[in-house]
């Protein structure tokens, strides 16, 4: 494993070369450096993975150097490879390489081509530090690095002020979560005396008493940190606006990798969370609420990328629901499959956007099925996986495993049974908005002229991701389970008596999801006129407006946080503290002006002033004498 560091080093070198020479590099050279460095990283990740499996899946740590040593706290730059970090490393480098290749086609002709790939490479470097770091300090460094890259890439088209505001919003909201994560790190170090992840996970059952206040607060702070990166309520408002960045950014950062960092963190620190079952339940409830809110929001969006953004938020809700139900492996497998089909959908949407001259409104597209059947096939496969079409798509095998596990948990704790039905309702909504998206884009009336698109760097990554999004990818389930078992990520145990009921619950979810697909067909293929007529009524317009604004969280936060903050900033902008202290020199200056004005040179005025002063002094003395008696 002596070459594990190369997986991080290659994209870092790519970033340095691109950042240093971005004004002097041609597109071809920048593309080779940008995509090639991630390709080399993926190659060495594959070699490391094969060695890991061949050596009995024994976890190894490669210590590079000590980062700092202060008061006994000495976190190292050390890379830890076990089953979970191998899964994440493979996902980041593998899917990341395909997206980099696609980006060399998508970004062609853009200004600052090398700048884009420098940020992309820095992101991969940061993400690998996050998942390979053997201690929470190094994980936090990668955590902040991906947040920085997200900000830079969302605001890539900085000439448009709206994109800058979207970048600031994402940076600000995720920083709120990062503060909670930092507090969690303080609490962990206080209780454990170390930030080494393996040591914390091993010692958690003895150091933290179950349901104790310190266990609850530590787990809660960890989850809130995860919620910021993974766009869970109440820190979910940034993700839809993050679509202001180029589409490959949405595919890599805001669908396949960075937003899953919270799921990784919760799964990695599972033993800490299991000492706070109340927080575990809260995690599942948050995931369920998020997936429903996102599902309703996606129903009425018109921007193709915003629809996919809300679907991402919804699928992340499923993952967190699994984590809260202790079905870590099901959640992690869905995280992997989601990376495949959501990257496919985002990259396909990027191709659609270019085919329609950078148009993103689905109602200004239409008729694409007759112009590009390859893109239709990609969207159909990706959309089918998103809607969990049974057996033929990979989404079925991962999503239904989550719902089955939540149902089993619900037989012991009634709240989880309600969460199961929330997940089923989310699947129902997913089928409807997925069909709406595909039908309008591919079979609706053509409203914008189609532009022919071609190139192996366009269709090659899409073809690979399309295969990985079909049921064929189920072959990955066994190896993923094996390496997660080797990483001691707990498997979800189903009592023998509940196996049949769990399968029935899974089939029920499939049936309701298929019913949603049928309703979508009826509404948008056969009764779309009635849908539009309802949308024009007061009730329909009101509901659409609420859903379009994702139940008004942005408006609420604007009232509660943004406007008070701007008011305080406006007040402080006038420097009231300095203004208070300036009263003293103003009094001195005023006294000086008054006394100076009395220096008139008139003897009569001086005599009058002295007489008046004498009278005042005598009156004061008289009052003092009277009061004294």
């Amino acid at each position: 494993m002596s070459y594990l560091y190369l997986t991080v080093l290659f994209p870092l070198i790519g970033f340095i070369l691109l950042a240093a020479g971005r004004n002097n590099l041609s597109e071809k050279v920048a593309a080779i450096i940008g995509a090639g460095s991630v390709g080399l990283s993926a190659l060495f990740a594959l070699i490391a993975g094969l060695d890991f499996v061949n050596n009995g899946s024994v976890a190894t740590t490669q210590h590079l150097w000590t980062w700092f040593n202060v008061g006994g706290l000495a976190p190292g730059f050390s890379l830890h490879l076990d089953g979970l970090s191998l899964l994440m490393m493979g996902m980041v480098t593998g899917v990341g390489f395909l997206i980099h290749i696609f980006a060399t086609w998508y970004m062609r002709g853009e200004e600052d081509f090398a700048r884009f790939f420098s940020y992309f490479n820095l992101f991969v470097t940061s993400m690998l530090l996050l998942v390979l770091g053997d201690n929470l300090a190094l994980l936090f460094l990668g955590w902040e690095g991906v947040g920085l890259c997200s900000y830079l890439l969302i605001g890539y088209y900085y000439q448009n002020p709206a994109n800058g505001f979207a970048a600031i919003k994402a940076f600000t909201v995720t920083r709120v979560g990062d503060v909670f994560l930092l507090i969690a790190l303080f609490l962990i170090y206080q209780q454990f005396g170390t930030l080494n992840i393996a040591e914390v996970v091993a010692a958690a059952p003895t150091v933290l008493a179950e349901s104790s206040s310190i266990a609850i607060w530590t787990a809660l702070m960890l989850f809130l940190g995860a919620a910021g990166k993974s766009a869970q309520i109440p820190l979910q408002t940034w993700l839809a606006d993050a679509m202001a960045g180029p589409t490959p950014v949405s595919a890599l950062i805001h669908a396949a990798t960075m937003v899953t960092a919270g799921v990784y963190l919760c799964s990695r620190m599972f033993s800490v969370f299991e000492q706070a079952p109340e927080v575990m339940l809260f995690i599942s409830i948050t995931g369920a609420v998020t997936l429903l809110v996102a599902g309703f929001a996606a129903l009425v969006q018109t921007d193709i990328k915003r629809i996919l953004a809300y679907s991402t938020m919804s699928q992340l809700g499923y993952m967190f629901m699994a984590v809260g139900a202790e079905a870590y492996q099901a959640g992690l497998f869905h995280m992997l499959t989601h990376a495949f089909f959501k990257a496919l959908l985002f990259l396909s949407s990027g191709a659609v956007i270019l085919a329609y001259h950078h148009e993103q409104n689905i109602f200004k597209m239409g008729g694409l099925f007759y112009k590009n059947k390859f893109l239709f096939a990609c969207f159909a496969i990706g959309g089918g996986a998103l809607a969990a079409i049974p057996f033929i798509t990979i989404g079925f095998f991962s999503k239904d495993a989550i719902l089955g596990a939540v149902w089993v948990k619900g037989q012991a704790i009634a709240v989880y049974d309600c969460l199961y039905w929330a997940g089923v309702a989310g699947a129902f909504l997913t089928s409807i908005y997925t069909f709406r998206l595909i039908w309008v884009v591919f079979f609706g009336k053509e409203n914008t002229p189609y532009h022919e698109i071609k190139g192996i760097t366009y269709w090659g990554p899409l073809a690979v991701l399309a295969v990985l999004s079909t049921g064929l990818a189920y072959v990955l389930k066994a190896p993923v389970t094996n390496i997660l078992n080797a990483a001691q990520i707990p498997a979800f145990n189903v009592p023998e008596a509940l196996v049949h009921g769990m399968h029935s619950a899974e089939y029920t979810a499939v049936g309701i999801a298929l019913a949603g697909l049928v309703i979508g067909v009826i509404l948008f293929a056969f009764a779309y006129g009635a849908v539009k007529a309802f949308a024009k009524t007061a009730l329909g317009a009101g509901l659409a407006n609420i859903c379009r604004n994702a139940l008004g969280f942005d408006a609420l936060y604007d009232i509660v946080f943004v406007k008070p903050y701007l008011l305080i900033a406006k007040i402080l902008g006038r420097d009231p503290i300095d203004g208070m202290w300036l009263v003293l020199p103003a009094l001195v200056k005023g006294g000086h002006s008054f006394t100076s004005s009395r220096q008139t040179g008139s003897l009569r005025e001086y005599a009058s002033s002295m007489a008046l002063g004498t009278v005042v002094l005598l009156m004061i003395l008289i009052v003092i004498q009277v009061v004294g008696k």
Side-chain angles (χ1 to χ4, degrees):
M1 295 300 172
S2 58
Y3 44 75
L4 181 61
Y5 72 95
L6 293 175
T7 59
V8 181
L9 183 61
F10 279 121
L12 178 60
I13 291 174
F15 160 70
I16 293 171
L17 292 176
L18 290 165
R22 70 186 190 186
N23 295 324
N24 302 309
L25 297 175
S26 67
E27 279 192 5
K28 185 176 181 180
V29 172
I32 291 172
I33 294 173
S37 61
V38 178
L40 289 171
S41 178
L43 175 63
F44 279 94
L46 176 62
I47 295 172
L50 293 174
D51 281 356
F52 174 79
V53 173
N54 292 334
N55 293 329
S57 300
V58 177
T60 58
T61 300
Q62 183 179 32
H63 180 73
L64 301 177
W65 66 84
T66 299
W67 186 2
F68 59 84
N69 190 335
V70 178
L73 175 61
F77 258 82
S78 304
L79 306 180
H80 181 77
L81 185 65
D82 64 359
L84 179 53
S85 56
L86 175 61
L87 174 67
M88 296 296 296
M89 179 176 66
M91 187 179 79
V92 171
T93 57
V95 176
F97 178 53
L98 294 174
I99 295 173
H100 271 73
I101 292 175
F102 183 89
T104 63
W105 171 80
Y106 185 88
M107 299 300 294
R108 194 178 303 154
E110 294 280 1
E111 292 184 15
D112 293 328
F113 186 86
R115 175 168 69 91
F116 172 83
F117 278 97
S118 69
Y119 296 160
F120 237 28
N121 279 189
L122 180 61
F123 169 79
V124 173
T125 303
S126 301
M127 192 70 197
L128 288 172
L129 281 178
L130 191 160
V131 301
L132 291 174
D134 83 327
N135 61 81
L136 290 167
L138 190 56
L139 180 149
F140 190 73
L141 176 64
W143 191 275
E144 292 302 293
V146 297
L148 170 64
C149 294
S150 176
Y151 166 77
L152 294 172
L153 287 164
I154 293 170
Y156 176 75
Y157 298 120
Y158 60 87
Q159 295 88 349
N160 185 344
N163 296 339
F165 289 134
I168 292 171
K169 181 178 181 179
F171 193 78
T172 303
V173 175
T174 54
R175 287 297 75 72
V176 173
D178 295 350
V179 170
F180 289 124
L181 179 57
L182 196 57
I183 293 172
L185 266 57
F186 294 154
L187 293 173
I188 288 171
Y189 186 72
Q190 179 195 50
Q191 296 299 310
F192 294 85
T194 181
L195 292 178
N196 183 277
I197 294 173
E199 293 176 10
V200 171
V201 170
T206 55
V207 173
L208 298 175
E210 185 172 323
S211 296
S212 64
S213 60
I214 189 65
I216 290 173
W217 279 109
T218 302
L220 182 61
M221 293 298 104
L222 279 172
F223 169 64
L224 291 176
K229 276 288 185 289
S230 296
Q232 297 296 286
I233 286 175
L235 301 176
Q236 86 289 3
T237 56
W238 65 272
L239 184 57
D241 291 334
M243 298 302 106
T247 304
V249 173
S250 305
L252 179 62
I253 298 183
H254 305 125
T257 54
M258 186 192 86
V259 292
T260 61
V263 180
Y264 165 77
L265 176 65
C266 292
S267 300
R268 175 63 82 189
M269 304 297 293
F270 71 90
S271 64
V272 174
F273 284 98
E274 289 184 348
Q275 296 308 111
E278 300 88 348
V279 176
M280 296 286 280
L281 177 59
F282 178 68
I283 291 172
S284 285
I285 292 172
T286 301
V289 173
T290 301
L291 72 89
L292 287 176
V293 170
F296 281 113
L299 279 175
V300 296
Q301 300 300 316
T302 57
D303 186 305
I304 188 171
K305 289 174 64 176
R306 287 182 75 89
I307 296 171
L308 296 178
Y310 281 115
S311 74
T312 297
M313 196 185 301
S314 179
Q315 298 308 301
L316 290 166
Y318 281 105
M319 297 175 211
F320 277 102
M321 198 161 65
V323 168
E326 299 180 77
Y328 306 105
Q329 294 193 9
L332 290 168
F333 186 57
H334 190 56
M335 177 187 70
L336 177 65
T337 63
H338 176 262
F340 296 152
F341 66 74
K342 191 51 65 66
L344 172 64
L345 284 169
F346 264 113
L347 295 186
S348 298
S349 73
V352 171
I353 289 168
L354 287 190
Y356 283 114
H357 308 279
H358 295 278
E359 180 58 62
Q360 294 185 202
N361 188 327
I362 61 174
F363 292 99
K364 294 182 180 179
M365 299 175 182
L368 189 55
F369 173 77
Y370 307 102
K371 302 294 179 63
N372 194 322
K373 290 183 172 55
F374 173 72
L375 272 182
F376 170 73
C378 291
F379 250 95
I381 293 170
L386 175 61
I389 301 299
F391 304 112
I392 61 174
T393 66
I394 192 60
F396 161 74
F397 296 102
S398 57
K399 184 189 288 186
D400 278 52
I402 292 174
L403 292 174
V406 173
W407 180 87
V408 170
K409 192 78 173 177
Q411 305 314 296
I413 304 174
V415 176
Y416 284 94
D417 192 49
C418 298
L419 299 181
Y420 161 77
W421 288 108
V424 171
F428 177 77
L429 294 173
T430 301
S431 295
I432 295 176
Y433 68 68
T434 301
F435 179 81
R436 170 181 177 263
L437 168 62
I438 294 175
W439 180 264
V440 171
V441 171
F442 289 93
F443 297 97
K445 179 183 177 183
E446 182 177 350
N447 294 303
T448 301
Y450 171 78
H451 169 69
E452 187 66 33
I453 52 177
K454 57 186 178 180
I456 189 172
T457 51
Y458 138 64
W459 62 261
L462 293 181
V464 174
L465 289 168
V467 173
L468 291 172
S469 299
T470 65
L472 297 174
Y474 184 69
V475 298
L476 296 174
K477 180 67 180 291
V480 167
T481 301
N482 291 336
I483 65 172
L484 291 178
N485 286 335
Q488 299 182 333
I489 301 297
F492 187 78
N493 295 316
V494 183
E496 188 69 29
L498 295 178
V499 171
H500 177 72
M502 181 185 74
H503 291 317
S504 297
E506 292 173 348
Y507 296 144
T508 299
V510 171
I512 293 177
L514 291 176
L517 188 62
V518 171
I519 289 176
V521 172
I522 294 171
L523 290 177
F524 299 105
F526 298 104
Y528 191 49
V531 173
K532 290 193 289 186
F534 176 71
K536 292 178 180 178
T537 65
L539 176 61
L543 291 174
N545 187 57
I546 292 171
C547 292
R548 189 176 299 110
N549 292 290
L551 274 64
F553 278 91
D554 273 319
L556 175 64
Y557 292 168
D558 188 59
I559 294 170
V560 176
F561 297 113
V562 178
K563 287 183 178 177
Y565 176 82
L566 292 176
L567 176 62
I568 293 170
K570 186 176 182 180
I571 293 171
L572 293 180
R574 297 176 179 175
D575 238 339
I577 305 301
D578 275 357
M580 267 175 37
W581 287 108
L582 288 174
V583 170
L584 293 177
L587 288 174
V588 172
K589 184 178 179 181
H592 169 74
S593 298
F594 175 74
T595 53
S596 296
S597 67
R598 305 319 302 156
Q599 303 300 313
T600 61
S602 170
L603 183 61
R604 183 178 296 176
E605 287 189 19
Y606 292 163
S608 299
S609 298
M610 291 174 63
L612 179 62
T614 303
V615 170
V616 170
L617 285 174
L618 286 173
M619 290 179 65
I620 292 172
L621 289 173
I622 292 170
V623 169
I624 292 173
Q625 289 294 326
V626 171
V627 172
K629 291 180 180 180

